[in-house]
Amino acid sequence: MPDIIYDVAVSADGYICGPDAEVSGFATQGPHVDAYTARLATYGTVLMGRRTYEFGYAYGLPAGANPYPRAKTWVFSTTLVLPADAAVSAVRDTWQDRIAALKAQAVAPIYLCGGGAFAGWMLDRGLIDRLRLKRAPVILGGGVSIFGASKTPVIGEVTASRTWANGVAYAEICL
């Protein structure tokens, strides 16, 4: 059964974005972005929370559009309103059951795109198999924590790591 992988950029102080969803401190070009883009091609399913999905609206994503068109995308939200012809699917309830069914049917790794609150909910339930962290050499000082309000302790095993010349450090961690 394929893994659910939280593949995420994070600041040195543990935030996936700063206050007001600020992400300008994260480098958008370089070898770490090329590596991330290559990994995106391996995912068959994408999971995300509503705030992560709606974050795309600020960058021109129309409501209902799929930000990852080569993969089936599921947005977990009790409040998201999508057009009838949406290219993404909303999951309103029985989240854990839906995730279990998606994992059982998957033929490729599942990308947990975020965000912090949804990732924390998944961590609390043991639903994340692997982390792929791109730690940026930036201090945001606040914002959205990588696992939201979760306090679940987990000891993982680093299975791969590297640091690029631009200071971005990558670690793959099996949970």
Side-chain angles (χ1 to χ4, degrees), residues 5 7 33-46 67-72 107-111 132:
I5 303 169
D7 195 331
V33 176
D34 297 338
Y36 167 69
T37 302
R39 287 192 309 276
L40 279 179
T42 69
Y43 298 125
T45 304
V46 179
Y68 302 98
R70 67 165 305 283
K72 177 67 177 161
V107 296
I110 298 171
Y111 173 31
R132 288 180 172 163

Side-chain angles (χ1 to χ4, degrees), residues 18-159:
D20 299 320
E22 177 61 40
V23 293
S24 64
F26 294 107
T28 58
Q29 296 179 359
H32 69 288
V33 176
D34 297 338
Y36 167 69
T37 302
R39 287 192 309 276
L40 279 179
T42 69
Y43 298 125
T45 304
V46 179
L47 312 178
M48 68 179 74
R50 177 190 53 81
R51 283 177 285 210
T52 297
Y53 181 71
E54 290 178 342
F55 176 79
Y57 295 172
Y59 297 90
L61 182 74
N66 188 346
Y68 302 98
R70 67 165 305 283
K72 177 67 177 161
T73 299
W74 299 83
V75 183
F76 290 74
S77 170
T78 60
T79 60
L80 180 68
V81 176
L82 294 170
D85 64 345
V88 298
S89 298
V91 180
R92 302 212 182 285
D93 54 25
T94 63
W95 291 7
Q96 197 161 343
D97 293 341
R98 172 64 65 168
I99 292 167
L102 290 170
K103 188 168 180 174
Q105 298 165 1
V107 296
I110 298 171
Y111 173 31
L112 170 55
C113 183
F118 183 54
W121 179 89
M122 290 189 63
L123 183 73
D124 290 346
R125 287 154 183 81
L127 298 174
I128 301 172
D129 300 302
R130 190 173 301 272
L131 302 176
R132 288 180 172 163
L133 303 178
K134 289 102 44 194
R135 187 170 296 275
V138 61
I139 305 291
L140 295 177
V144 177
S145 172
I146 188 170
F147 289 108
S150 175
K151 303 289 186 215
T152 299
V154 177
I155 297 173
E157 176 186 345
V158 175
T159 58

